[in-house]
Amino acid sequence: MKNKFLTRALTGSIFVAILVGCILGGPISFTILFAIICAMTVNEFGNIMNKSGLAQINKPISMLAGVFLFFGFAYLGVSPGKNEILIPYLFLIMYLCISELYLKKNTPVNNIAYAMMSQIYIALPFAMLNILAFYTTDANASSVYSPILPLSIFVFTWINDSGAYCTGVLFGKHRLFERISPKKSWEGSFGGGILSIIGAIIIANYFPILSKAEWIGLAVTVVVFGTWGDLVESLIKRSIGIKDSGNILPGHGGMLDRFDSTLLAVPASVVYLYIISLIQ
């Protein structure tokens, strides 16, 4: 038990250090890191679906498509309006569909469906991190990289996860969604949410790019949709009968296990920030 805890703690520390370091390191390290993470997560999704027998996803093309989508969004952040960067991605998506005409596999419809799911469920949310990372500064549509918003999504997620775990262990009695995740409790969810709001108030004092109320709203958005993201991944794993999506991170499972909350929290945060921009 002690060795397992130490392994988990060490892996988690290295994981957080790399993630934070690359986000703060600038647009190049940010883009390279998350393009790699996107490809690895798409590949992992392909592995579990292929092993389940539900489909036979073309993993190399799906991974490549995910990377092109991520870089496409990154380029759009730097040079808004340059939509031609997404043309290679569209060719890859068409290939995933057309190739099933000739491969003669047993589950062609499922193959297409799950390949598209890997793009919508995984690649698109990662690509949307670029919307948070790049913002336009003037009428000439020049963009600047800022690590604060993308990093805040992960900070709120980590605070929520840690707070929910500790609060749930100490006070958890009422199950949040027992059919999908028997260990999660309402008490844990409220505890994680409250700690995330406190974190938002602290962040607001140092980074006034959003008002205190807006930071709190962002934290609540991440908590609510991050929890749903966690439950959605649990639903997928429970449906195909696996515990972890992979074993690349000792003590933590796979990449999908680590980023499950992010996959819904990022799109929800983009929508939230867009809505408050309309109100201002």
Side-chain angles (χ1 to χ4, degrees):
M1 181 66 70
K2 183 178 179 181
N3 289 337
K4 185 177 180 180
F5 174 79
L6 290 175
T7 299
R8 183 179 176 86
L10 180 61
T11 303
S13 299
I14 294 172
F15 172 78
V16 170
I18 293 173
L19 205 69
V20 173
C22 287
I23 293 174
L24 295 178
I28 294 177
S29 60
F30 167 84
T31 304
I32 291 174
L33 174 70
F34 282 103
I36 293 172
I37 289 175
C38 178
M40 293 174 66
T41 311
V42 169
N43 180 64
E44 192 173 86
F45 179 81
N47 284 337
I48 63 177
M49 288 304 164
N50 289 356
K51 289 178 181 178
S52 73
L54 292 172
Q56 288 298 309
I57 298 175
N58 189 326
K59 294 189 297 179
I61 298 299
S62 297
M63 289 169 61
L64 189 60
V67 170
F68 268 108
L69 183 62
F70 184 87
F71 279 123
F73 270 62
Y75 185 81
L76 288 173
V78 175
S79 301
K82 304 294 184 179
N83 298 325
E84 64 272 12
I85 190 67
L86 292 173
I87 289 176
Y89 176 73
L90 297 176
F91 272 112
L92 291 170
I93 291 298
M94 289 187 288
Y95 175 82
L96 285 171
C97 296
I98 296 170
S99 62
E100 290 298 328
L101 292 170
Y102 304 96
L103 294 176
K104 299 180 181 179
K105 293 182 179 180
N106 294 328
T107 55
V109 175
N110 284 8
N111 298 344
I112 294 172
Y114 284 107
M116 295 304 109
M117 183 177 176
S118 76
Q119 301 303 302
I120 296 170
Y121 174 53
I122 297 170
L124 182 59
F126 277 121
M128 293 179 77
L129 279 170
N130 291 291
I131 298 175
L132 302 175
F134 295 94
Y135 65 94
T136 303
T137 57
D138 53 41
N140 294 323
S142 60
S143 294
V144 174
Y145 172 78
S146 174
I148 304 304
L149 286 176
L151 184 58
S152 70
I153 303 302
F154 292 104
V155 170
F156 292 143
T157 299
W158 296 331
I159 293 174
N160 180 50
D161 288 347
S162 301
Y165 175 78
C166 295
T167 309
V169 168
L170 293 173
F171 307 108
K173 293 182 179 180
H174 302 87
R175 298 302 98 186
L176 176 67
F177 217 113
E178 191 168 8
R179 179 173 63 88
I180 302 300
S181 186
K183 294 182 179 180
K184 284 184 172 57
S185 67
W186 280 103
E187 291 83 358
S189 294
F190 282 123
I194 291 169
L195 288 175
S196 297
I197 290 172
I198 294 172
I201 294 171
I202 295 171
I203 290 174
N205 291 327
Y206 291 95
F207 301 102
I209 57 174
L210 298 175
S211 69
K212 187 172 292 186
E214 289 168 346
W215 273 116
I216 291 173
L218 181 60
V220 171
T221 300
V222 172
V223 168
V224 172
F225 284 88
T227 300
W228 275 329
D230 192 333
L231 289 170
V232 167
E233 198 236 358
S234 294
L235 174 64
I236 292 171
K237 291 190 297 184
R238 186 171 287 271
S239 298
I240 60 179
I242 61 173
K243 181 180 179 182
D244 296 321
S245 63
N247 56 11
I248 193 170
L249 298 170
H252 291 268
M255 301 299 288
L256 193 55
D257 294 320
R258 288 303 88 209
F259 290 97
D260 52 0
S261 300
T262 311
L263 297 180
L264 288 189
V266 168
S269 298
V270 169
V271 172
Y272 166 77
L273 292 170
Y274 176 72
I275 291 173
I276 65 172
S277 72
L278 294 177
I279 296 173
Q280 292 173 348

